[in-house]
Amino acid sequence: MEICIHRGTHEIGGSCVELAHDGYRIAIDLGLPLDAENNDPKWLPNIAGITSPAEDFLGIIISHPHQDHYGLLAHVPENMPVAMGMAARRILDTASRFMPGPKPHLGNLELKDRQALTLGPFAITPFKMDHSAYDAYALLIEAGGRRLFYSGDFRAHGRKAAQFERLIAAPPAAIDCLLLEGTSLARLDEDQHFDTETDLEDQFAAAFKRIAGLALVFASGQNIDRLVTIYRAALKTNRQLVLDLYTSEILAATENAHLPQGHWESVRVIIPHSQSRQASETENLYKRHRCINWAKLHELGSKAVMLCRSSMINQLARSGNLAGAQALYSMWDGYLEDGKLQAQLDALNIPLTKIHTSGHADTPTLKRLVAALQPNTVTPIHSQHPELYESLFPNVVARTDGQWWSI
Ligand SMILES: [Zn+2]
């Protein structure tokens, strides 16, 4: 089997790996680089079959529904075979109704936990992982008697930590090469652990108790683990969870009845101006979502936790009094760097506190995966610090973008 990382040997985002064997090729992930200023076809890696017709190219496997792993799917030929988890596909399909820009081609091949999918000479076995994206997989890819393990993005401190423990307890054997994500390297000391989602639940509950008015939480509508954490903390402190329509539709798209839903008694849904078109296109809107208006939201005040986004703040401020309101920030710090959200909140005298944990594995967790798999080689991917791998893991072979090698 021949392998080429087109993008990702020294950066986070824009992941794409091409594999070749016996005259056929496939790709794993087709992500948009994090620093791409737009979703332009110019970011496509040069892979025959994606950028030009080629019969030996069999399809694309998407490990999980994060933009830096699927973001360029809008630019692939319409009949391209694309595989991903079914819930991941429904989430991306739902999200595309709310997002500007071209719709991604989501394909129709299904990744199912621990069930091999065959594309030509490639057998692809997905392993469900704990990650901040829902329906995320690591991938075992076998061809010509060789075995590649792609970690995808993962962690072991989320609400699906049991998935990671299950993999560690019975790992696939005889791995020739492990492509290992290292997003968090250098963000944390080598022996330090990230806070768990359960830790965050306590931190949110303490904050909700402390806040005198409306609690505004800034979190991704697709970080399902985090939504559950916020929901549970809201329940503990007798606050209703108020979602925007987008987030409520994403939760419905999981088709997981254990996750909070917009029609639950303890949940309310608000339709911001920016989502009124989607609301008018939503079938059974009032049956599927317990909608409230802005006046009702302000009336709830200290009895509510509102999932907020920057685009909603003006409407929120215009529609009522925000005395005692506080904001909690539960996303990657980098999104705060432009200062825009802070300026919006400062203008309203709303203090901002951070409550967050990473969607990616800490170093002790990365080491546990390597120790369990005992791969012949470990190759860095999805990391800004490939140079750190050698001091942390055995048998490291770093590669450069565009370099082909064989196992
Ligand atoms: Zn991810």
Side-chain angles (χ1 to χ4, degrees):
M1 179 159 37
E2 285 154 276
I3 308 165
C4 172
I5 300 174
H6 284 276
R7 198 162 37 218
T9 58
H10 59 269
E11 73 182 274
I12 296 167
S15 291
C16 182
V17 183
E18 185 180 358
L19 304 175
H21 179 71
D22 200 20
Y24 290 98
R25 295 173 297 115
I26 59 173
I28 309 172
D29 286 339
L30 192 64
L32 187 68
L34 284 188
D35 56 0
E37 69 280 2
N38 55 23
N39 189 330
D40 191 282
K42 76 173 180 192
W43 298 109
L44 280 176
N46 188 15
I47 296 178
I50 294 180
T51 54
S52 60
E55 287 191 354
D56 64 328
F57 187 78
L58 302 176
I60 304 168
I61 319 295
I62 301 295
S63 63
H64 67 280
H66 271 160
Q67 264 230 327
D68 61 332
H69 292 258
Y70 80 86
L72 291 167
L73 279 183
H75 308 303
V76 305
E78 227 158 303
N79 58 353
M80 172 70 69
V82 177
M84 65 180 79
M86 288 302 270
R89 179 172 285 123
R90 288 192 302 268
I91 286 170
L92 291 183
D93 190 42
T94 299
S96 72
R97 284 174 48 210
F98 291 83
M99 305 290 179
K103 278 187 183 288
H105 293 298
L106 299 175
N108 57 15
L109 297 175
E110 184 177 354
L111 292 185
K112 277 189 189 161
D113 190 30
R114 290 169 167 80
Q115 293 189 27
L117 169 77
T118 305
L119 284 180
F122 301 96
I124 301 129
T125 308
F127 291 80
K128 198 155 237 181
M129 293 296 258
D130 181 29
H131 182 41
S132 48
Y134 195 70
D135 207 11
Y137 295 94
L139 303 166
L140 169 67
I141 293 152
E142 299 165 275
R146 299 290 171 182
R147 291 155 73 86
L148 171 78
F149 196 86
Y150 175 68
S151 74
D153 289 0
F154 74 100
R155 61 177 177 176
H157 56 276
R159 297 200 168 273
K160 303 173 296 293
Q163 302 286 3
F164 178 77
E165 299 303 331
R166 194 177 157 209
L167 172 64
I168 293 294
I175 300 300
D176 295 293
C177 174
L178 166 64
L179 300 182
L180 179 67
E181 79 121 308
T183 314
S184 72
L185 294 182
R187 288 185 185 175
L188 207 64
D189 287 347
E190 192 182 321
D191 53 355
Q192 269 184 311
H193 290 271
F194 285 121
D195 281 352
T196 66
E197 287 292 327
T198 315
D199 294 334
L200 256 63
E201 191 178 318
D202 294 340
Q203 293 166 28
F204 272 112
F208 295 162
K209 256 186 212 153
R210 189 184 69 231
I211 294 171
L214 186 60
L216 305 170
V217 181
F218 292 81
S220 162
Q222 290 189 38
N223 186 340
I224 307 293
D225 268 18
R226 190 61 43 81
L227 296 178
V228 172
T229 295
I230 296 162
Y231 171 75
R232 290 170 60 96
L235 266 193
K236 279 184 183 168
T237 52
N238 288 320
R239 289 180 183 249
Q240 299 226 315
L241 178 62
V242 181
L243 303 171
D244 62 327
L245 179 65
Y246 162 74
T247 305
S248 191
E249 285 281 271
I250 294 290
L251 283 163
T254 64
E255 294 186 5
N256 182 341
H258 299 292
L259 297 174
Q261 299 290 334
H263 57 81
W264 283 12
E265 178 53 40
S266 44
V267 178
R268 292 293 181 272
V269 176
I270 201 146
I271 300 167
H273 182 65
S274 57
Q275 296 171 19
S276 52
R277 179 179 60 79
Q278 288 84 358
S280 70
E281 294 166 359
T282 301
E283 274 180 52
N284 298 320
L285 176 68
Y286 295 104
K287 204 170 152 194
R288 297 176 60 234
H289 308 281
R290 282 180 185 261
C291 294
I292 56 169
N293 60 25
W294 294 87
K296 180 68 187 170
L297 171 70
H298 285 285
E299 202 183 303
L300 284 173
S302 65
K303 291 278 160 224
V305 171
M306 180 196 183
L307 198 75
C308 195
R309 54 196 76 240
S310 181
S311 62
M312 294 159 69
I313 291 177
N314 286 343
Q315 205 174 4
L316 177 67
R318 273 200 314 270
S319 56
N321 185 351
L322 287 171
Q326 291 196 29
L328 303 168
Y329 189 78
S330 197
M331 289 187 279
W332 179 54
D333 264 5
Y335 299 132
L336 278 178
E337 272 166 16
D338 64 12
K340 284 182 191 163
L341 177 63
Q342 189 71 60
Q344 277 182 303
L345 294 170
D346 286 349
L348 297 167
N349 286 319
I350 296 176
L352 179 74
T353 309
K354 291 177 195 170
I355 300 181
H356 185 51
T357 193
S358 176
H360 297 271
D362 43 39
T363 305
T365 304
L366 295 173
K367 285 183 170 176
R368 287 184 66 205
L369 181 65
V370 174
L373 288 172
Q374 298 189 24
N376 284 344
T377 56
V378 176
T379 291
I381 193 166
H382 206 273
S383 178
Q384 277 167 334
H385 295 283
E387 77 284 356
L388 295 178
Y389 278 61
E390 210 163 287
S391 65
L392 299 171
F393 315 110
N395 310 321
V396 171
V397 185
R399 304 288 179 176
T400 54
D401 284 0
Q403 176 191 358
W404 280 94
W405 79 95
S406 295
I407 56 172

